Amino acid sequence: MARDPRDDLLRAPAIQDYPTITRTTATYIPQRNYDLEKGETKHYQQQFSDMYFLRLAKLKPAVEKLAEDAWDDHMADWRLQIGGDTVHKVERVLDVRQGELCWVAGTVYMDMPLKPNILDDIAKDHWSAGPPPREKYVNPNGQDKVMLEDESGRLRLKGIALESELLVTGCIIAVMGTEDANGDFEVIDIRIPDLPGQPTTAELEPKAAAPGAGMDTEMEGHGTGKGKVAIISGLSITGDIGDSLALDLLMEFLLGESTSPTLQGKAAQITRLIIAGNSIGEATPVSDHIPTTLNKKGSAATKKYGYDAASYNPAPTHHLDLLLSTLLPSLPITLLPGASDPANISIPQQPLHPALFPQSRAFAAPPPALTQEQAPTRKPRRIPNTHPLHPTTNPTFFTLSDKLFLGTSGQNIDDIAKYVTSPSTDSPSTTIQQSLDLLEQTLRWRIIAPTAPDTLWCYPYQSSEPFVLDDGWCPHVYFVGNQEGFGTRIVEGPEGQKVRLVAVPKFGGETGRGEVVLVDLDEDLAGEGEGVELLRFGVHDQEHKVKSEGEGKDFFAGM
């Protein structure tokens, strides 16, 4: 009987040509809007009041223009009349008079008893450990008050119109109404600044990089197509063995080392990986199996300079460094710090220090000094970054291909969520929609972190307010990391602006499956859901598979 040649273990390799897959590249231009000055020029002695004055000075003209168009158009010689009274503008909050129909612009302040107040803590002389932070500042007994203030004083707002408008401390609005006998302002209508001007494609085209700025010609970012960008957040690497499976599957997919040729082609379209904060897990005590440092006499060594090296656990940063150094030769990475990462706790969080990544820092550019030429500009910068690893700030702006991206690690949205009531249902989709609502509202307020510095720690700026979105800085893609689930939406502005909102879930989540968001850079924002997809990595499980139907594409490892 003739033998089947396929049964021979030793045989010549098949003569078959396999196509070479080349990764798509896209021009990457980081913006330095949130880089703080170095050394002695950065200090915290100034007051936070300057930020509120700058914020009001920047946004008051925009909101007053919208208010005039709606209620008091002098150019058309038209004014709104209600009950025979003609509305008119007052310049300051204290110029409001009882019984007069008028409108005024100012800064919102939420007077909420459950909100933390440092002055109350000092007055009560609480030197013991404080209570855990509250999940919500909203008082169920209705004791919260909405105030409008400017440089002259403060006015309490009330009325049905406030129930339909989301307001938090720090946003700039214009209100129309009348003052009652109690001195409260009865609000009839509200106007907010709405989306700022959006840059055109021509304004985002890159200029030529400086000679010798890149590592090699292959990584210079001038590619053949736009491709996709992958966004992940909440890796929460602790160094335990449980971190390895989902991360290994993620690395194999991004590097094209697994799955089918079709999926390898999809991975080759990914031009850059964005890690949106919380890459390191929460700090935990060092395991008991780690031996105590002993001196020459055999007894426990004393601390040197007050620091005990035995209490430091290098495993989380080592595993993150290993992940980055494995991906960087093939895939550029932008790394944002998060709430649990080793960075300053106040926003804007500065880039993670290169000393944390001894293997990966060779792929990063040396940190430049913040000079006058490198300071934040009126328009997006157009000089590309040619180094694969870019540790950046949180929040951050950057240009990828011909789109302007704005991203945060989630602290701004999480803090705003404390000012609103929880969704009526515990459905994950309802929570995700609330996150997208808050994300959209920050665009329409033109302030990405309105609650800073009231309840969100931030740097006390004096000469600028970088959290305000100036004209020409409306992003095309606005993402927020470390959310409870994946969601996306397209919002439109009054001048035709279109912004893709993306809520990026935590990588592990409650199920332990890794989740990655892919954003198509070729998308023209023509419809809902187009150009954005969710990928999942984990162990094949029937229960998880049923839960994930219709939400994205799964890549499971068989068990």
Side-chain angles (χ1 to χ4, degrees):
M1 185 175 72
R3 288 174 42 189
D4 189 345
R6 291 177 297 180
D7 295 336
D8 294 335
L9 296 179
L10 299 177
R11 63 178 183 271
I15 302 176
Q16 182 177 356
D17 293 333
Y18 292 94
T20 301
I21 300 177
T22 304
R23 185 178 299 279
T24 304
T25 59
T27 305
Y28 174 74
I29 307 175
Q31 311 296 330
R32 303 193 61 193
N33 300 40
Y34 300 103
D35 283 13
L36 298 179
E37 296 181 350
K38 312 296 182 183
E40 297 180 355
T41 56
K42 181 179 67 175
H43 56 85
Y44 292 82
Q45 299 175 357
Q46 59 267 34
Q47 295 293 323
F48 288 100
S49 58
D50 293 332
M51 292 184 61
Y52 288 110
F53 292 139
L54 290 168
R55 188 178 299 178
L56 182 60
K58 275 188 172 185
L59 294 180
K60 190 174 182 179
V63 74
E64 284 184 342
K65 183 180 185 306
L66 293 176
E68 289 177 353
D69 294 341
W71 310 321
D72 191 4
D73 194 345
H74 293 283
M75 300 298 295
D77 195 19
W78 170 85
R79 290 184 176 181
L80 179 67
Q81 292 186 352
I82 300 179
D85 295 333
T86 302
V87 64
H88 66 279
K89 173 187 176 182
V90 295
E91 295 295 337
R92 306 186 308 162
V93 165
L94 293 187
D95 293 338
V96 174
R97 296 292 179 261
Q98 180 179 339
E100 294 183 0
L101 184 63
C102 62
W103 65 270
V104 62
T107 306
V108 173
Y109 174 75
M110 304 296 293
D111 187 2
M112 311 175 83
L114 299 182
K115 192 172 60 175
N117 190 332
I118 185 61
L119 297 179
D120 291 343
D121 294 339
I122 295 176
K124 295 176 183 178
D125 197 20
H126 283 175
W127 299 111
S128 58
R134 298 181 183 274
E135 295 184 359
K136 294 289 182 180
Y137 301 146
V138 180
N139 194 316
N141 299 326
Q143 299 179 1
D144 300 333
K145 302 176 183 178
V146 183
M147 305 288 190
L148 187 72
E149 63 181 14
D150 59 12
E151 63 277 2
S152 66
R154 182 177 292 178
L155 181 67
R156 181 182 177 182
L157 306 180
K158 69 176 186 179
I160 300 178
L162 297 177
E163 300 178 358
S164 59
E165 189 72 32
L166 174 61
L167 299 175
V168 298
T169 295
C171 57
I172 310 299
I173 64 171
V175 293
M176 186 264 291
T178 182
E179 188 180 50
D180 60 16
N182 297 325
D184 299 334
F185 193 82
E186 186 75 26
V187 179
I188 300 175
D189 198 6
I190 301 175
R191 286 293 181 270
I192 60 177
D194 219 326
L195 274 66
Q198 194 171 46
T200 63
T201 303
E203 294 173 337
L204 297 178
E205 290 181 354
K207 294 182 179 179
M215 294 184 62
D216 52 57
T217 56
E218 186 178 358
M219 299 303 299
E220 285 186 358
H222 302 282
T224 57
K226 296 181 180 180
K228 302 176 182 291
V229 57
I231 309 176
I232 60 176
S233 66
L235 293 177
S236 299
I237 298 176
T238 61
D240 297 335
I241 191 173
D243 294 335
S244 59
L245 179 59
L247 291 177
D248 287 345
L249 292 174
L250 171 66
M251 286 193 297
E252 291 177 0
F253 171 76
L254 294 176
L255 296 176
E257 296 177 351
S258 63
T259 67
S260 64
T262 302
L263 295 178
Q264 289 176 347
K266 178 185 289 290
Q269 295 177 357
I270 299 176
T271 63
R272 179 168 288 266
L273 174 65
I274 312 297
I275 304 179
N278 289 4
S279 303
I280 303 296
E282 297 288 346
T284 56
V286 180
S287 304
D288 296 335
H289 69 272
I290 297 180
T292 304
T293 305
L294 302 178
N295 56 22
K296 294 181 180 180
K297 297 181 180 180
S299 58
T302 58
K303 296 181 180 180
K304 187 176 182 180
Y305 307 115
Y307 168 71
D308 185 6
S311 64
Y312 170 66
N313 183 10
T317 54
H318 172 72
H319 281 70
L320 177 60
D321 186 27
L322 182 61
L323 171 67
L324 298 177
S325 61
T326 304
L327 294 175
L328 282 170
S330 172
L331 180 64
I333 297 176
T334 297
L335 181 63
L336 279 69
S340 64
D341 292 327
N344 56 302
I345 191 64
S346 60
I347 62 170
Q349 290 183 291
Q350 296 305 285
L352 296 176
H353 200 280
L356 296 170
F357 314 112
Q359 300 181 59
S360 305
R361 63 185 176 188
F363 295 91
L370 188 62
T371 62
Q372 184 66 28
E373 290 77 19
Q374 295 168 331
T377 55
R378 294 178 59 87
K379 293 183 178 181
R381 299 172 60 85
R382 299 166 64 182
I383 301 178
N385 180 357
T386 56
H387 293 80
L389 177 61
H390 181 227
T392 186
T393 59
N394 169 40
T396 185
F397 270 105
F398 59 87
T399 302
L400 195 58
S401 186
D402 58 352
K403 288 183 171 57
L404 182 63
F405 281 69
L406 169 61
T408 76
S409 296
Q411 292 98 316
N412 59 331
I413 300 301
D414 294 342
D415 195 68
I416 296 175
K418 297 179 180 180
Y419 286 78
V420 299
T421 57
S422 301
S424 56
T425 62
D426 295 333
S427 171
S429 60
T430 306
T431 305
I432 296 168
Q433 289 304 315
Q434 185 183 70
S435 297
L436 293 174
D437 291 340
L438 301 180
L439 202 60
E440 176 181 351
Q441 202 65 21
T442 59
L443 282 180
R444 301 200 182 277
W445 289 329
R446 295 195 190 184
I447 312 174
I448 61 175
T451 58
D454 185 30
T455 54
L456 183 63
W457 294 352
C458 74
Y459 180 77
Y461 288 96
Q462 269 192 312
S463 58
S464 64
E465 221 297 34
F467 301 125
V468 172
L469 298 178
D470 297 327
D471 277 331
W473 284 96
C474 180
H476 298 94
V477 179
Y478 183 15
F479 65 88
V480 57
N482 300 288
Q483 300 303 295
E484 296 302 323
F486 165 72
T488 183
R489 173 189 303 174
I490 293 178
V491 298
E492 299 186 12
E495 299 176 357
Q497 308 98 316
K498 290 186 178 181
V499 183
R500 164 69 71 179
L501 306 181
V502 182
V504 183
K506 300 174 184 177
F507 184 75
E510 297 180 357
T511 62
R513 294 172 296 153
E515 296 182 323
V516 182
V517 177
L518 295 184
V519 179
D520 191 355
L521 297 176
D522 290 306
E523 182 190 19
D524 59 358
L525 304 181
E528 291 287 330
E530 296 181 3
V532 179
E533 57 182 319
L534 178 68
L535 306 180
R536 276 180 293 263
F537 304 86
V539 179
H540 182 81
D541 186 289
Q542 186 64 28
E543 180 182 359
H544 290 172
K545 186 175 181 180
V546 173
K547 289 181 180 179
S548 65
E549 286 182 355
E551 299 176 0
K553 296 183 179 180
D554 301 311
F555 298 92
F556 292 110
M559 293 294 289

